[in-house]
Amino acid sequence: MSRAIQIRVSESVVRTVHVEDGIQSPLEMLPILAPDRMGELLAAELEAQGFLRDGDKATRSDPDGVVIEVDLKAATVTARIGESGQLAESIDRRANVAIERKDTVQAALRDDVRRELDERIAARTEALRREVTAKLENKLSDLRKELDRAVGRATIAALTERAASLGNIQSVVEDEAGNVTIKVKL
Amino acid sequence: MSQRDELEDQGELAIPQVAQSEHDLLMLARALVAGPDSRDDIWSLLCATRQVAPKIGPTCANLLEDTLRQVWRSLWQRGGTQPRASYPLDGRGPVRGRLWERYQPVELAFSSATLQLLRWLVQTPFAAPASTYAKLPATKLTVGDQVMVYFALDAARATPALQAIAAQPFVQAAPLAWLGFATYLAAGEHGVPAFDSLTEGAGPIVIEALSGELARRWQASELAKRSITNPAELIELGEAQDAVLTGWFDACDRSRRRDLAGFVLDAIAPLIEREVSPSPLELEPGAPLSVRARARTSAGSLLRAVTRWHAWDQQHRGVRFIDDDYAVAQLLLARFERIGSAGIARVNGWLADLASLAPLPPSDTVSSSEGNRIS
């Protein structure tokens, strides 16, 4: 008659994970002036909104971790967010088996525990990723409005420059709806 | 002795005798060629599995040849009878009329690949799990073979066999199948083939005959995109459609037959009129934003093809009366007129919204001017 023994398998894992999400979109710039000049005007507007310019790129890192990068040459905006975390999980499992099957059961139990640990870490990583995505998604609506305003102001500046090249500007009037009237004396 | 008895004695009224498997093969071929006019239940024919001998007899070969002769007629019925204008490159310039009036008679060649396809369709147990099917390997296809592949996909479109047929390397090697059924072929492992075979010889005639069907299929595919929720599925579909349309437009451009890409305009025009964008109503909210954004951009494949048509249209406007291509340019300008500047502005607006940082949610249903509702 075989003896029954209790097997105990204990495994733990600490994993550093990094999740990120991002989106790129074109900026609708009207070709009023040469692309380089349009980029300069947009850069000036973005700098007023806290962007730091580095060559053809204007970047801003917000306190919520979202990094916004505007490519002035390609007229695109990229918003991305990343987060790192250290995930720790441990599992302690016991089983009663006949002593002759000790090694087989122990190996199987250990495999099960490791698989479950991997699944738990994957689920927590996915949850973290969803959190990051939600944070970015919440930001986008405001960001779109902010960038639309910057592009609008850059467009007005471009129109004013273009008007100045045609003659003497008499007046620039902007109404509440955002329509701009530029009077030029030729 | 009656006249009938005399003819029977001479063997002229004798019913041809073929093996049972050959009978099945002929019945299937006739059903495919008859298309919408077929009275056969295609699913029953596909499920009636039977082993076919490696070679068919001369009687079966003659009957199959007779059946394939009806393919031209079938193509006329699918859209060749409508009077239109086209410019076959035979020096006559733009020609108006029915399809057979617009083109000189051309041979529609079939190869042994057609027999290979029919044999596979008869032998495959479509009622069984797909894992049990034998693969139908890719081979070189003539335009006639491609038409039979198209007919097979069309006949099976409402049956569970469609996915299995579309997944075969043989079918994936047929450019015409991609033009008509990109939605189903997109999931395959094989890339989009070159389209040049369809812009020369009998190819343009086939395309013109099927133009109406192609437009309806692409339009249906655009509407279907609105209800796709899985971003990966939309990316796969959109990227395959982009590859098909880019390849097709390039081939049309190379062969100076831009009119053959006209079905794209026919597909999008009703959607523009009814303001139905291909924007998905809701993508899985749990998916990463980067994947959802890629999916939304992919959904604009047909719109991107329309913008390419617009670029062509600008070129056609620059062709002067004294230029050689003036008549052709006028024909193409008339073709694009239905879209016009208002249509292209709408298309560009949709493309911008698909690529937008925070896209506006599309409406669930859109009312057309006639009061119909498209969801």
Side-chain angles (χ1 to χ4, degrees), chain B residues 174-228:
Chain B
L176 186 59
W178 280 96
L179 273 187
F181 298 89
T183 310
Y184 303 97
L185 273 72
E189 299 158 3
H190 304 266
V192 178
F195 288 93
D196 296 294
S197 62
L198 293 175
T199 56
E200 56 196 25
I205 311 177
V206 170
I207 294 295
E208 288 214 44
L210 296 175
S211 185
E213 278 189 18
L214 295 177
R216 283 193 294 277
R217 287 189 206 293
W218 280 89
Q219 191 185 324
S221 167
E222 289 303 285
L223 287 174
K225 282 177 190 168
R226 292 168 62 85
S227 55
I228 294 178

Side-chain angles (χ1 to χ4, degrees), chain B residues 233-250:
Chain B
E233 191 187 335
L234 196 51
I235 291 169
E236 188 179 73
L237 172 61
E239 287 180 352
Q241 287 187 333
D242 263 329
V244 170
L245 291 171
T246 305
W248 178 240
F249 274 56
D250 288 345

Side-chain angles (χ1 to χ4, degrees), chain B residues 10-28:
Chain B
Q10 290 163 11
E12 288 183 20
L13 275 186
I15 295 172
Q17 299 290 314
V18 292
Q20 186 63 48
S21 61
E22 292 176 337
H23 166 266
D24 289 358
L25 190 138
L26 289 168
M27 289 298 290
L28 188 66

Side-chain angles (χ1 to χ4, degrees), chain B residues 58-71:
Chain B
T59 312
C60 177
N62 287 337
L63 290 170
L64 184 59
E65 214 170 286
D66 275 347
T67 306
L68 295 179
R69 278 197 195 104
Q70 301 300 313
V71 169

Side-chain angles (χ1 to χ4, degrees), chain A residues 77-96:
Chain A
V77 55
T78 308
R80 60 173 180 272
I81 184 171
E83 207 164 300
S84 297
Q86 216 170 42
L87 306 179
E89 283 286 342
S90 62
I91 297 177
D92 193 0
R93 195 155 289 169
R94 295 153 200 256
N96 293 323

Side-chain angles (χ1 to χ4, degrees), chain A residues 21-23 25-26 28 77 129-130 133 136-137 140-141 143-144 147, chain B residues 285-293 352-353 355-360:
Chain A
D21 202 355
I23 183 170
S25 172
E28 287 179 59
V77 55
R129 203 271 307 151
R130 280 174 185 247
T133 297
L136 180 61
E137 208 167 356
L140 289 183
S141 186
L143 179 62
R144 180 181 169 160
L147 288 171
Chain B
L289 207 55
S290 53
V291 176
R292 277 183 276 159
D353 189 56
S356 165
L357 271 184
L360 301 169

